[in-house]
Amino acid sequence: MAEKETKNSMIPKKALIRSSLIWESWVQTCYSYERMMGQACAHTFLPVVKYLYPNDKEKQIDLMTREMEFFNVHPEFGSCILGLAISMEEEKAMGVDIPNEFITNIKTSLMGPLAGVGDTIWQGVLIPILLAFCIDVTRAGNGNIWGAVVYAVLMVAASYGFSYWNFMFGYNAGSNAIMDFLERGVLDKLLKAASIMGCMVMGGLIVNYVKCKCGIVITTGGTTFALQETLFDAVLPNILPLGVTMGVYGLMQKKWTSIRIILLIVAVGVVGGLFGILGV
């Protein structure tokens, strides 16, 4: 850690601290269906991009555009991904041959597992335990406010403290990991593995977040034949959400804007619902 900061680092410690604070403070203030936390990622890079490419506006724009792509993770547990991304961008700025897609795929492959772990531990364990303790404090004091105060202070301290530690862990471990990958010549293999993992993560997101069901029901001779249950679910479950996703991807490849795609989805949903083609 000391060697990186004094000899090989282009980014001063104060800029890294500011990036960490920006991530934790503003990560959930600018969501969109198209990018989720992508804007927050780009915002996190603001304090460091000027140190990476101080005299090259085009490379600054390229970096910020790359870091604004779709990203979604648990804020505190996922902060190490931002530290890792900054570390990789720093190595790239120093002349190491790191492909742009490598950085994107690493972020994509890590966000799913860390989101699952973070949500489980943070929201399923830490917050309920802390709430139970603070509620007892309030009830024991006949309705005083100290339970709420203690909860607020402890949550802020835990959130910022763990997020900063995790961010710096990703930054410092990330640089060493990249150099080790390059020295061993396993960059191409890792890039392929990260690409596969990224596809798996996106496949999981499709199943969880994209919903599309066929509402057509055919009745003949007293027999009811529901297309969704009898055909689609039996042959290939979730084929319709996959088809919708691939269709949207195809439209994006044709340079359709997100607004046009959303309006098309709304129109298809309304027409399909009115005529019973789509179900719920």
Side-chain angles (χ1 to χ4, degrees):
M1 180 175 176
E3 182 180 351
K4 179 175 181 63
E5 291 173 359
T6 58
K7 294 183 180 181
N8 298 324
S9 180
M10 302 174 65
I11 307 171
K13 186 69 173 288
K14 64 179 181 180
L16 293 172
I17 294 175
R18 187 181 173 194
S19 290
S20 173
L21 291 176
I22 287 175
W23 170 256
E24 182 60 31
S25 300
W26 308 108
V27 60
Q28 301 195 74
T29 58
C30 193
Y31 277 102
S32 72
Y33 284 109
E34 184 177 4
R35 301 184 186 277
M36 292 301 285
M37 296 177 177
Q39 292 93 328
C41 288
H43 190 189
T44 302
F45 271 80
L46 277 179
V48 303
V49 66
K50 60 184 178 182
Y51 294 103
L52 298 179
Y53 302 107
N55 301 311
D56 195 329
K57 199 71 174 179
E58 290 300 322
K59 288 188 177 180
Q60 290 183 14
I61 294 173
D62 179 64
L63 185 152
M64 296 298 285
T65 302
R66 178 167 61 253
E67 296 301 334
M68 201 182 293
E69 295 178 3
F70 180 92
F71 187 72
N72 191 31
V73 74
H74 185 272
E76 287 75 31
F77 276 79
S79 63
C80 65
I81 302 178
L82 274 297
L84 175 61
I86 289 177
S87 178
M88 290 189 291
E89 293 287 3
E90 184 180 34
E91 296 290 346
K92 182 179 179 67
M94 294 169 66
V96 179
D97 184 19
I98 301 177
N100 293 345
E101 61 269 20
F102 176 76
I103 300 174
T104 301
N105 288 333
I106 284 292
K107 289 171 58 182
T108 303
S109 64
L110 290 176
M111 69 180 186
L114 286 176
V117 172
D119 289 341
T120 301
I121 296 178
W122 203 265
Q123 299 178 18
V125 179
L126 177 63
I127 291 179
I129 292 176
L130 189 57
L131 277 174
F133 170 76
C134 292
I135 289 172
D136 286 343
V137 170
T138 298
R139 293 178 63 186
N142 295 321
N144 62 56
I145 66 171
W146 287 111
V149 173
V150 170
Y151 176 81
V153 171
L154 290 180
M155 278 304 301
V156 169
S159 298
Y160 277 89
F162 182 75
S163 181
Y164 172 74
W165 175 86
N166 206 23
F167 181 93
M168 295 305 297
F169 171 78
Y171 173 76
N172 290 292
S175 177
N176 296 331
I178 290 298
M179 293 308 298
D180 185 53
F181 296 151
L182 294 173
E183 291 171 359
R184 295 185 182 184
V186 297
L187 181 60
D188 292 337
K189 294 181 180 179
L190 185 59
L191 177 58
K192 183 177 181 180
S195 300
I196 295 173
M197 177 64 76
C199 291
M200 294 174 63
V201 171
M202 288 303 172
L205 291 175
I206 291 171
V207 172
N208 289 326
Y209 293 103
V210 181
K211 303 298 181 183
C212 181
K213 292 185 177 181
C214 179
I216 298 176
V217 177
I218 302 173
T219 303
T220 56
T223 303
T224 301
F225 183 82
L227 220 59
Q228 179 66 46
E229 290 80 8
T230 310
L231 179 60
F232 294 127
D233 288 346
V235 176
L236 187 59
N238 296 309
I239 188 173
L240 293 183
L242 176 61
V244 171
T245 302
M246 297 307 297
V248 170
Y249 177 75
L251 293 176
M252 293 176 64
Q253 293 295 101
K254 294 181 179 180
K255 308 301 181 181
W256 276 47
T257 64
S258 57
I259 299 299
R260 289 182 64 191
I261 294 175
I262 291 173
L263 291 176
L264 176 63
I265 292 174
V266 171
V268 171
V270 171
V271 173
L274 288 175
F275 289 94
I277 300 173
L278 299 177
V280 294

